Amino acid sequence: MTDEAGAIVEETEPAVVTTATVTLVEGRTFCVSGTSGDMEAEVPQGLFLRDVRVISDWRTRVDGHRPHHLTVLSQDACSTMLVSLMRLDSA
């Protein structure tokens, strides 16, 4: 198996997320997503309950369009606000 740069990677090595992620934890439940709120099944992201991934693919959309990510505001380990901007098309 090879990575994005074409380097050989042993399958026994753990996957590494190379993009910025947001992690929320409460008890034995945790969620790992991109800073946009999207979760991708191809990387170790998703909603996990007792170390079992129960949601592996999630796409944040508004009226079918992807919001433009601005920032992430975290107050503690179990709450985060993802701030995004939507383009308003004139009618």
Side-chain angles (χ1 to χ4, degrees):
M1 182 167 73
T2 60
D3 64 6
E4 294 174 8
I8 296 174
V9 178
E10 296 293 327
E11 291 185 0
T12 57
E13 294 180 13
V16 176
V17 179
T18 57
T19 59
T21 58
V22 175
T23 303
L24 300 171
V25 180
E26 185 166 350
R28 298 180 72 182
T29 303
F30 63 98
C31 179
V32 181
S33 73
T35 55
S36 67
D38 289 354
M39 298 175 209
E40 299 181 26
E42 298 81 24
V43 295
Q45 295 180 348
L47 177 64
F48 297 81
L49 175 63
R50 297 182 181 183
D51 290 333
V52 175
R53 184 159 60 170
V54 294
I55 296 177
S56 61
D57 196 48
W58 181 274
R59 304 285 184 235
T60 305
R61 300 292 182 265
V62 176
D63 290 334
H65 300 283
R66 184 176 186 178
H68 176 73
H69 165 71
L70 297 177
T71 192
V72 176
L73 304 173
S74 295
Q75 295 180 349
D76 54 47
C78 62
S79 66
T80 294
M81 181 182 298
L82 306 172
V83 181
S84 301
L85 179 68
M86 289 301 299
R87 178 180 170 188
L88 297 176
D89 293 326
S90 54

